[in-house]
Amino acid sequence: MEVRLANEDRNILSELLTQVAERAYIRGVEDAKKYYQYPEALKSTDIEKMYQIKSAKVSDLVRREDFPKIELIRARYPRDEVIEFMKNNKHLYVKGKGK
């Protein structure tokens, strides 16, 4: 299926795609600054800072069976897996989300 656009529509679409790409790039840079400044093996205090939550909430989270842990190092958590867990479970720590 071939789609043909008028020059004006093509220019508008091109501008919109450029804006989306720029926003995605900026978001990626912001995420990298926010999360990847921390070590690969997080401490509870790192999680507190990353998500701006109190130590009691971090304690609740890390006690969960499904929370990612580094088995060979006590009280350390794999950064990238923690980020993914937190993205998928915002209802556990964001006020007004879920429980």
Side-chain angles (χ1 to χ4, degrees), residues 31-53 58 61-62 67-87:
D31 283 351
K33 285 180 183 177
K34 181 177 180 182
Y35 296 117
Y36 297 104
Q37 66 178 311
Y38 293 97
E40 288 187 35
L42 299 174
K43 299 178 191 176
S44 294
T45 54
D46 295 324
I47 297 169
E48 286 178 46
K49 291 175 190 171
M50 287 172 78
Y51 295 98
Q52 299 176 0
I53 55 180
V58 173
L61 287 169
V62 300
F67 194 83
K69 298 169 182 68
I70 297 176
E71 296 297 326
L72 298 175
I73 307 171
R74 187 171 183 215
R76 295 293 188 276
Y77 313 96
R79 179 195 61 214
D80 296 345
E81 291 178 41
V82 168
I83 291 169
E84 193 62 31
F85 177 89
M86 297 299 262
K87 282 181 186 177

